[in-house]
Amino acid sequence: MLDKYEGKAIGITAIIIMVFLFSLLYVTGKQKTDVVECVPYDKTYTTPRINQIDSTTYQVFAVAKMWNFEPSQIYVPVGAEVDFFVTSGDVVHGFNIAEKNVNMMAVYGGINKTTVKFTEPGIYKITCHEYCGVGHQNMQAEVIVNYPNNY
Ligand code: CUA
């Protein structure tokens, strides 16, 4: 049998946990981006490429290397949902996508993954935001988002 203070303590704890979970859901929902995940390392991720899964789903295997990203131009249609798998061929680089709230590290021997939905046409710059040597400031790529018949 609970005494009345125990009951109160449990009630307050439950409320605090609910507020916490609600704010977590609210923030992740609002930002419309996934939390970055770590994917188990596999050599196939080190080959830069773009896979089209269906008309709106893409996978981009991006490799950062002094001092560029491959692929450097990523064409996807408006509405595309893109899984980015990011790794590095040498030192630690950054992987930032303008206007998309994506801020990842590209690490040799590791793969970071996030999913981004592109609902508006435009050119979204990818930049390295981790100092990686003399070519750092030139290290960029872009995601080109357009309506399918405008390419
Ligand atoms: Cu790569 Cu800075």
Side-chain angles (χ1 to χ4, degrees):
M1 186 68 187
L2 300 174
D3 70 29
K4 83 173 183 210
Y5 296 107
E6 254 179 328
K8 250 188 198 163
I10 290 169
I12 290 168
T13 310
I15 290 169
I16 291 170
I17 290 171
M18 275 157 67
V19 168
F20 174 76
L21 289 177
F22 179 78
S23 37
L24 205 67
L25 286 175
Y26 178 76
V27 169
T28 48
K30 209 178 171 185
Q31 294 191 339
K32 289 192 183 127
T33 44
D34 282 5
V35 175
V36 172
E37 299 171 47
C38 251
V39 175
Y41 189 68
D42 177 338
K43 268 250 154 64
T44 59
Y45 290 90
T46 61
T47 307
R49 64 195 188 279
I50 302 168
N51 282 352
Q52 183 173 0
I53 307 296
D54 61 35
S55 61
T56 54
T57 318
Y58 290 77
Q59 290 178 323
V60 172
F61 296 83
V63 179
K65 211 168 179 177
M66 289 179 216
W67 284 280
N68 56 49
F69 292 102
E70 278 187 81
S72 61
Q73 290 190 311
I74 300 157
Y75 290 89
V76 294
V78 172
E81 198 168 279
V82 184
D83 289 333
F84 288 92
F85 298 89
V86 177
T87 190
S88 168
D90 42 41
V91 299
V92 173
H93 297 276
F95 190 89
N96 181 85
I97 306 179
E99 297 168 58
K100 282 296 170 188
N101 212 354
V102 170
N103 188 332
M104 290 198 284
M105 306 298 281
V107 184
Y108 183 82
I111 301 129
N112 287 319
K113 182 207 169 200
T114 195
T115 304
V116 183
K117 195 161 183 179
F118 294 93
T119 51
E120 296 289 326
I123 295 172
Y124 299 82
K125 286 278 176 204
I126 298 172
T127 49
C128 177
H129 60 286
E130 189 66 37
Y131 183 73
C132 55
V134 292
H136 163 71
Q137 70 280 358
N138 301 323
M139 203 172 153
Q140 48 181 265
E142 55 199 15
V143 182
I144 300 114
V145 182
N146 211 334
Y147 294 101
N149 40 14
N150 285 354
Y151 283 136

